[in-house]
Amino acid sequence: MKIALFGPPGAGKGTQARYIVERYGIPQISTGDLLRAQLREGTELGMMARGYMDRGALVPNEVVIGMMRERISEEDCGEGFILDGFPRDISQAEALSNLMDLDAVVNIVVDESALIRRITGRRMCKCGMTYHIEFDPPAKEDTCDRCGGLLYQRGDDREETVRNRLEVYRSQTESLVEYYRKKGILKDIDGNRSIDEISRDVMRALSILEVGK
Ligand code: AP5
Ligand code: MG
């Protein structure tokens, strides 16, 4: 099953991907996570991407598309994958469609007023877990439930950068909703609800695909 999770910053793409990974055993491929890993490792690619990410702009396509192409050709993607944060503009969508067809694009629709609160309250762990201080807190403050690591805030989660990221979403990414709707594979999900309610709807949308196979 090849699916993409779509939605603005803070919509809950990473959060919902975790449930799909558990249910279907296919890997989550987050371009944001891949770029942050490059940044942590201090690679040339990471150093180049830093400036763009710090100001909430898109990292240039020649870098991101190459990185994705490499990742989806890896062995663990044989049974499918969940794209999170890719594609993000029409060139990325076209590059992907030259490689393969997606089975579904799950569009998580959230009111803009909720997004900033979700992002500024987010806490991350280096193991990949994500929390929210109010909506999805860890059992012990600042500590990851899964690995015991110290939680931290993402560098681009400051309010000013978040506003930029939202603007970039509106101007460069949002038009892909219609692009995929025209292809007949878009599933809109109301993201203004609890994490569990959204997850139930996402699973329902994906199980219809399973039956169709
Ligand atoms: P990326 O890492 O992809 O960030 P993003 O798209 O801005 O999305 P987020 O990760 O912020 O949000 P999310 O939807 O995953 O929400 P989450 O589940 O964490 O990209 C970062 C940067 O990398 C970009 O700005 C760009 O520079 C670069 N980049 C990445 N991909 C690129 C590409 N393809 N091309 C070019 N550049 C690229 O949830 C958010 C918070 O809300 C969490 O705390 C969570 O616990 C909470 N939450 C989730 N669901 C709910 C709910 N239902 N109710 C209450 N709280 C909730
Ligand atoms: Mg994310």
Side-chain angles (χ1 to χ4, degrees):
M1 184 183 290
K2 301 183 191 81
I3 59 179
L5 284 173
F6 199 79
K13 302 181 291 296
T15 303
Q16 294 302 325
R18 219 163 61 211
Y19 292 90
I20 306 173
V21 168
E22 255 172 50
R23 167 73 181 77
Y24 289 100
I26 50 176
Q28 168 198 11
I29 304 178
S30 155
T31 30
D33 288 348
L34 291 174
L35 289 165
R36 281 185 287 278
Q38 297 279 336
L39 227 133
R40 269 198 307 277
E41 288 161 21
T43 65
E44 204 178 311
L45 194 157
M47 293 301 103
M48 190 283 290
R50 166 167 276 151
Y52 295 96
M53 295 175 81
D54 280 351
R55 60 177 195 276
L58 294 188
V59 174
N61 277 338
E62 57 270 26
V63 174
V64 178
I65 292 172
M67 191 177 77
M68 274 305 293
R69 199 178 283 138
E70 223 170 274
R71 180 63 187 90
I72 56 185
S73 67
E74 285 174 23
E75 211 180 315
D76 63 335
C77 293
E79 295 294 311
F81 47 76
I82 309 150
L83 298 181
D84 162 3
F86 186 96
R88 241 166 156 110
D89 71 6
I90 192 72
S91 311
Q92 294 184 11
E94 293 290 352
L96 181 65
S97 84
N98 287 335
L99 290 176
M100 66 189 61
D101 288 328
L102 292 172
D103 297 307
V105 174
V106 175
N107 181 31
I108 308 175
V109 183
V110 182
D111 292 343
E112 193 158 320
S113 56
L115 296 173
I116 297 210
R117 195 162 163 207
R118 285 192 188 178
I119 294 182
T120 50
R122 171 167 50 194
R123 296 294 180 273
M124 313 279 296
C125 179
K126 60 178 179 339
C127 78
M129 284 293 284
T130 301
Y131 301 88
H132 191 282
I133 49 173
E134 206 180 323
F135 307 126
D136 189 17
K140 197 169 149 225
E141 204 183 339
D142 291 335
T143 307
C144 179
D145 294 344
R146 183 159 76 183
C147 76
L150 187 66
L151 303 184
Y152 63 92
Q153 241 185 320
R154 247 167 68 175
D156 60 347
D157 277 357
R158 290 181 311 266
E159 188 161 338
E160 193 190 308
T161 315
V162 174
R163 291 196 186 281
N164 242 343
R165 285 161 56 198
L166 288 170
E167 181 48 41
V168 167
Y169 174 79
R170 278 190 294 265
S171 60
Q172 300 188 54
T173 308
E174 199 171 22
S175 61
L176 292 183
V177 168
E178 287 316 311
Y179 175 89
Y180 285 114
R181 200 185 302 286
K182 278 189 192 136
K183 285 184 183 276
I185 57 169
L186 194 83
K187 318 259 175 213
D188 288 312
I189 301 285
D190 176 6
N192 293 299
R193 295 172 298 160
S194 73
I195 293 174
D196 285 347
E197 284 172 306
I198 298 166
S199 165
R200 270 196 292 276
D201 256 17
V202 171
M203 295 308 163
R204 207 170 294 135
L206 296 180
S207 65
I208 292 167
L209 276 179
E210 263 189 306
V211 171
K213 275 195 166 177

